[in-house]
C-alpha cells in the first residue's frame, strides 16, 4: 500500500509529462498543449488583424500595455511598430513620434512570446500619442512567483485526488494549505492579482461541448407549390412531381413525416427561387456522426477546373429520430453556432445550408477565394472596427458570422467553405435582417455562377 501511494504521489505531482525543455525540466503535457494552443490562436488572430491593416494601406500599430510585463516585452510596451519596416518615424501635431522597430524585429527580440498578453492596435497620425507607463521589474518577478505557487497548489491537489491512505490525504491537504497561505502573503505584500481559476486542477483540461456539424432554420410560410400545401400522394411523390430531382426510395420510407416534410419544403423552395441550382439526386446515407446532410461535388469532366453537383445526401439516422434532431438543433442555436432563428424548423435550414454549397459547386468554387476580400470590404465600411484592436475586430466578426463559419480546429480563422453555406442560409432565412457580411457573401456567391449555368 505504501509503495502504491508513493507511485501515485509521484505521478500526481508531475502530471502527464511528455516534453523536456532546454534546461532539462519535464513539462506537463496538457499544460504545454494548452499554452501552445492559446499562443497559436493569439498569433493567428494578430496575423489576421495585421493582414487586414496592410491590405487597407495602414503600416503603423501600437503595442498594448499590460501590467507586470516580461523584460523582453518592456522595450515595446505602448510603442509604435511598423508592419512592413518601411516607416521609421511619424509626425503628430508637429512632433516626431518614433517607430521603435518593425513587427518582425520586435518578435525576434521577444515580443509575443508564448503566453504573451500584448496585442496590437492601429495607429495613424492624429491619434493620441502612445502612453508608455513605467515597467516595474519587481511586479514581473512577483507574477512569476505567483505562477510557481499556483503550480504547487495544483500539484498538491492532484496528490490529494490520488491519495488512497488517510496519511496521504492529510499530507496533501497540508501542502495545499501551505501553498495557498504563501499565495495570500505574496498578494498582500506585492499587490499582484490573485486568479483562483489558476489554482484548479482542471486548468488546461477543460473541454467544451462538441461543435455542432450542421445548421437549422425557419423557412416561414410554405410556397403555394410546397408539398405541405398538397395531400394524397405523399411527400416523396410530391417532390418528384414538383421538381426533376431523382429521389431514391431507400431510407425515406422510415423517415419521420414532419422531418421529411421540412426537407421536401426546402428542396421545392430552392427549386422555385433558384431553378438552375439543382441537385440531380437525393439520397439517404450513413453519414459521419453529427453530420446531418452533405452536398457532394465532382470535377466537371467536360470543363477542366470546373465542378458539377453530385448528389444531396441526408443522414438516415437523423430522418428517423426527430426528437434527437430537435434537441440537437436547439442546443446548436443556443450556442451561437448558426444564424438567428435557426432552430425553429431544423431540417429546412439543414437543406438550405447545403444548397449554399450546391451554388458554390456551380460557381466552380470561385467564391471560396473571394471570402476574405468580401469580409474585408465590409469591415472597411466601419472605421471604428478597422482601427480597433484584435478584440474589437474579433467581436465584430463574431457578430457578423455564426460559430460554424469558423474552422473547428482554429476558431480564429474563417472557414471559406462553411461560411458560404451559413451566409446563404442567413439571407434565405432572415432576408434583410441577415447580417451585413452574410448579405455581401450571399450576393458574391450568386455572382460567381456563370450565366450559362443559369439558363
Amino acid at each position: 500500500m505504501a509503495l502504491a501511494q508513493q507511485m501515485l504521489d509521484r505521478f500526481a505531482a508531475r502530471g502527464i509529462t511528455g516534453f523536456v525543455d532546454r534546461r532539462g525540466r519535464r513539462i506537463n503535457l496538457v499544460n504545454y498543449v494548452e499554452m501552445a494552443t492559446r499562443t497559436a490562436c493569439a498569433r493567428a488572430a494578430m496575423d489576421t488583424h495585421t493582414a487586414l491593416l496592410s491590405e487597407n494601406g495602414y503600416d503603423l500599430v501600437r503595442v498594448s500595455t499590460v501590467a507586470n510585463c516580461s523584460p523582453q516585452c518592456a522595450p515595446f510596451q505602448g510603442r509604435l511598430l511598423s508592419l512592413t519596416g518601411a516607416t521609421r518615424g511619424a509626425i503628430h501635431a508637429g512632433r516626431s513620434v518614433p517607430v521603435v522597430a518593425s513587427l518582425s524585429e520586435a518578435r525576434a527580440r521577444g515580443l509575443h512570446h508564448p503566453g504573451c498578453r500584448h496585442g496590437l492596435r492601429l495607429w495613424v497620425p492624429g491619434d493620441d500619442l502612445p502612453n508608455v507607463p513605467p515597467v516595474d521589474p519587481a511586479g514581473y518577478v512577483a507574477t512569476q512567483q505567483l505562477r510557481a505557487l499556483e503550480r504547487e497548489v495544483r500539484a498538491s491537489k492532484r496528490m490529494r485526488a490520488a491519495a488512497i491512505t488517510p496519511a496521504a490525504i492529510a499530507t496533501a491537504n497540508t501542502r495545499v494549505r501551505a501553498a495557498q497561505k504563501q499565495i495570500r502573503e505574496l498578494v498582500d505584500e506585492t499587490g499582484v492579482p490573485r486568479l483562483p481559476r489558476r489554482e484548479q486542477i482542471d486548468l488546461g483540461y477543460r473541454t467544451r461541448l462538441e461543435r455542432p456539424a450542421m445548421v437549422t432554420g425557419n423557412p416561414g410560410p410554405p410556397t403555394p407549390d410546397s408539398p405541405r400545401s398538397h395531400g394524397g400522394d405523399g411527400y416523396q411523390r410530391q417532390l418528384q412531381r414538383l421538381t426533376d430531382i431523382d429521389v431514391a426510395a431507400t431510407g425515406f420510407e422510415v423517415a419521420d413525416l414532419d422531418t421529411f416534410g421540412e426537407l421536401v419544403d426546402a428542396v421545392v423552395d430552392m427549386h422555385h427561387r433558384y431553378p438552375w441550382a439543382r441537385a440531380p439526386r437525393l439520397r439517404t446515407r450513413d453519414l459521419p456522426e453529427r453530420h446531418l446532410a452533405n452536398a457532394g461535388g465532382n470535377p466537371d469532366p467536360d470543363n477542366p477546373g470546373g465542378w458539377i453537383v453530385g448528389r444531396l445526401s441526408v443522414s438516415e439516422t437523423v430522418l428517423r429520430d426527430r426528437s434527437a434532431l430537435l434537441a440537437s438543433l436547439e442546443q446548436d442555436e443556443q450556442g451561437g453556432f448558426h444564424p438567428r432563428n435557426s432552430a425553429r424548423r431544423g431540417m429546412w435550414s439543414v437543406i438550405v445550408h447545403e444548397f449554399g454549397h450546391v451554388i458554390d459547386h456551380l460557381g466552380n468554387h470561385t467564391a471560396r477565394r473571394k471570402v476574405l476580400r468580401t469580409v474585408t470590404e465590409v469591415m472597411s465600411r466601419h472605421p471604428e472596427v478597422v482601427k480597433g484592436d484584435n478584440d474589437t475586430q474579433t467581436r465584430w466578426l463574431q457578430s457578423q458570422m455564426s460559430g460554424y463559419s469558423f474552422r473547428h480546429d482554429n476558431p480564429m480563422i474563417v472557414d471559406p467553405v462553411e461560411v458560404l453555406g451559413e451566409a446563404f442560409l442567413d439571407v434565405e432565412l432572415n432576408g434583410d435582417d441577415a447580417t451585413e457580411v452574410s448579405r455581401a457573401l450571399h450576393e458574391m456567391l450568386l455572382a460567381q455562377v456563370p450565366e450559362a449555368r443559369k439558363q
Side-chain angles (χ1 to χ4, degrees):
M1 181 71 74
L3 179 60
Q5 184 64 68
Q6 291 176 9
M7 295 298 296
L8 286 171
D9 288 345
R10 184 180 305 171
F11 285 119
R14 291 188 310 183
I16 303 172
T17 60
F19 293 90
V20 179
D21 68 8
R22 294 179 180 178
R23 288 183 284 178
R25 298 177 303 179
R26 298 186 65 85
I27 307 299
N28 181 285
L29 178 61
V30 177
N31 289 348
Y32 178 86
V33 171
E34 189 262 349
M35 177 275 295
T37 302
R38 184 178 64 245
T39 301
C41 289
R43 179 64 68 90
M46 282 185 284
D47 288 347
T48 301
H49 176 52
T50 56
L52 289 171
L53 295 180
S54 296
E55 190 169 336
N56 283 275
Y58 297 104
D59 188 53
L60 294 178
V61 292
R62 184 177 67 183
V63 181
S64 64
T65 59
V66 299
N68 303 327
C69 76
S70 64
Q72 59 264 45
C73 292
F76 308 107
Q77 175 151 271
R79 303 284 188 175
L80 297 186
L81 301 178
S82 169
L83 297 179
T84 64
T87 307
R88 291 296 176 179
I91 304 300
H92 175 80
R95 295 175 53 190
S96 178
V97 182
V99 178
V100 298
S102 69
L103 178 58
S104 59
E105 291 169 346
R107 285 177 169 174
R109 290 163 56 185
L111 182 67
H112 296 156
H113 56 83
C116 182
R117 295 170 289 155
H118 284 100
L120 302 172
R121 181 170 183 172
L122 173 66
W123 188 89
V124 296
D127 285 353
D128 293 336
L129 289 171
N131 179 27
V132 185
V135 176
D136 179 15
Y140 175 73
V141 173
T143 300
Q144 297 309 301
Q145 291 174 337
L146 179 61
R147 296 288 94 86
L149 290 172
E150 291 165 350
R151 290 191 293 270
E152 173 63 21
V153 170
R154 294 198 299 270
S156 300
K157 287 184 175 180
R158 287 196 300 268
M159 291 179 63
R160 184 173 60 189
I164 57 176
T165 65
I169 294 174
T171 299
N173 283 332
T174 299
R175 287 187 54 172
V176 170
R177 288 193 294 268
Q180 289 178 333
K181 180 176 182 292
Q182 289 181 276
I183 288 178
R184 290 193 296 271
E185 292 173 348
L186 179 66
V187 169
D188 292 340
E189 178 183 350
T190 64
V192 63
R194 183 179 184 179
L195 301 175
R197 176 182 64 85
R198 297 189 58 86
E199 299 170 28
Q200 306 306 311
I201 59 176
D202 62 353
L203 180 69
Y205 294 76
R206 293 178 181 176
T207 59
R208 297 179 180 178
L209 289 174
E210 181 183 2
R211 191 185 180 123
M214 281 308 308
V215 297
T216 64
N218 170 27
T223 65
D225 288 324
S226 166
R228 287 183 178 275
S229 302
H230 297 266
D233 294 336
Y235 285 124
Q236 187 167 318
R237 285 192 290 272
Q238 290 287 346
L239 180 60
Q240 291 176 315
R241 183 175 67 83
L242 294 171
T243 73
D244 56 359
I245 193 169
D246 175 19
V247 183
T250 303
F252 288 115
E253 69 275 6
V254 298
D256 176 89
L257 289 181
D258 288 333
T259 301
F260 192 29
E262 292 169 353
L263 181 155
V264 175
D265 279 349
V267 173
V268 174
D269 286 346
M270 293 297 101
H271 177 79
H272 282 279
R273 297 179 193 181
Y274 309 102
W276 43 267
R278 298 186 181 93
R281 295 183 299 280
L282 178 63
R283 298 287 188 270
T284 59
R285 293 182 63 190
D286 184 16
L287 296 177
E289 185 179 3
R290 303 285 298 170
H291 284 70
L292 308 187
N294 174 265
N298 300 310
D300 187 348
D302 300 323
N303 178 22
W307 286 78
I308 57 176
V309 182
R311 63 188 174 194
L312 181 62
S313 302
V314 185
S315 168
E316 182 175 335
T317 302
V318 168
L319 285 173
R320 291 180 177 181
D321 192 346
R322 182 168 179 80
S323 60
L325 169 67
L326 295 180
S328 175
L329 296 178
E330 182 66 28
Q331 175 186 330
D332 293 357
E333 182 175 353
Q334 291 179 356
F337 290 105
H338 305 302
R340 185 171 52 86
N341 295 325
S342 62
R344 295 171 61 186
R345 286 274 297 280
M347 187 53 72
W348 185 94
S349 291
V350 171
I351 301 303
V352 171
H353 172 101
E354 294 303 324
F355 265 89
H357 296 317
V358 167
I359 295 174
D360 181 35
H361 292 323
L362 294 174
N364 299 320
H365 299 173
T366 305
R368 302 179 185 185
R369 299 191 293 272
K370 297 186 177 183
V371 164
L372 181 58
R373 179 174 296 275
T374 302
V375 174
T376 301
E377 289 174 352
V378 177
M379 181 183 288
S380 67
R381 303 170 194 164
H382 302 272
E384 73 284 0
V385 177
V386 175
K387 295 176 65 176
D389 56 15
N390 297 337
D391 290 341
T392 299
Q393 294 192 355
T394 298
R395 286 193 297 270
W396 182 83
L397 288 171
Q398 291 174 342
S399 72
Q400 292 288 316
M401 294 179 283
S402 66
Y404 193 62
S405 300
F406 297 84
R407 283 173 44 176
H408 72 278
D409 59 339
N410 190 336
M412 305 301 295
I413 299 178
V414 174
D415 185 326
V417 177
E418 295 304 338
V419 72
L420 293 172
E422 292 287 85
F424 183 78
L425 170 62
D426 190 13
V427 174
E428 297 298 317
L429 184 63
N430 296 310
D432 292 338
D433 292 332
T435 69
E436 187 177 3
V437 167
S438 289
R439 296 196 302 272
L441 290 174
H442 184 278
E443 180 180 2
M444 181 273 290
L445 174 64
L446 294 175
Q448 306 314 305
V449 181
E451 288 299 323
R453 286 191 161 183
K454 295 182 179 180
Q455 303 304 318

